[in-house]
Amino acid sequence: MANYKKTEVGNLSEVATKYENGKVFLHDVLGLTGCEISVSSMPAGIKLPFNHKHKQNEEVYIFLKGNGVMTLDTEAVTVTEGSCVRVLPKVVRTMEAKTDMQYICVQAKEGSLVQFGMGDAELC
């Protein structure tokens, strides 16, 4: 058995139609154990039909294409290609795509990162 797992989500512009709700959760397909990563595509004019917050996980949204608005608690935050937004667990959030939008969301337990980069690496 290999010590890695690979998947293909396909062209990001096709994620909106290829996966339920325009989103693929890599936790499910790669068996992630330390975080959740989702790859999403939202067509222009779509607004998430719900607000949500988390019990313990912070999220980082990395916008790859398009623009839209994230509503974080009561603040409307404009996001565009290249925007990166960290959202704490207790913040109520939703999102609307003004143009076709593609983004990655990384979710991990707030305060759990103790090693990263070269602090968690060994040169071989």
Side-chain angles (χ1 to χ4, degrees):
M1 167 140 182
N3 290 324
Y4 65 90
K5 188 169 183 181
K6 178 185 175 193
T7 192
E8 300 288 340
V9 298
N11 185 309
L12 294 186
S13 63
E14 297 171 358
V15 169
T17 56
K18 187 175 177 182
Y19 297 95
E20 185 178 349
N21 298 318
K23 181 179 288 196
V24 57
F25 292 97
L26 296 183
H27 167 268
D28 297 336
V29 295
L30 291 176
L32 301 178
T33 64
C35 68
E36 171 63 283
I37 301 171
S38 59
V39 179
S40 301
S41 182
M42 286 178 68
I46 296 296
K47 182 176 182 181
L48 294 179
F50 57 86
N51 294 332
H52 76 285
K53 62 182 178 177
H54 289 274
K55 296 175 184 173
Q56 62 182 5
N57 292 343
E58 65 185 10
E59 292 180 317
V60 176
Y61 292 83
I62 304 163
F63 292 89
L64 306 173
K65 179 183 176 187
N67 65 74
V69 175
M70 292 184 79
T71 302
L72 304 171
D73 286 333
T74 59
E75 186 175 347
V77 177
T78 300
V79 294
T80 61
E81 181 177 323
S83 294
C84 299
V85 181
R86 175 186 177 219
V87 184
L88 296 177
K90 64 183 177 182
V91 174
V92 175
R93 66 208 74 178
T94 193
M95 190 177 340
E96 180 177 2
K98 298 297 185 182
T99 64
D100 289 351
M101 200 163 61
Q102 298 167 359
Y103 62 94
I104 295 171
C105 180
V106 180
Q107 188 181 125
K109 184 176 179 181
E110 182 183 26
S112 66
L113 184 63
V114 294
Q115 295 184 130
F116 54 91
M118 289 306 292
D120 188 50
E122 293 180 9
L123 297 177
C124 302

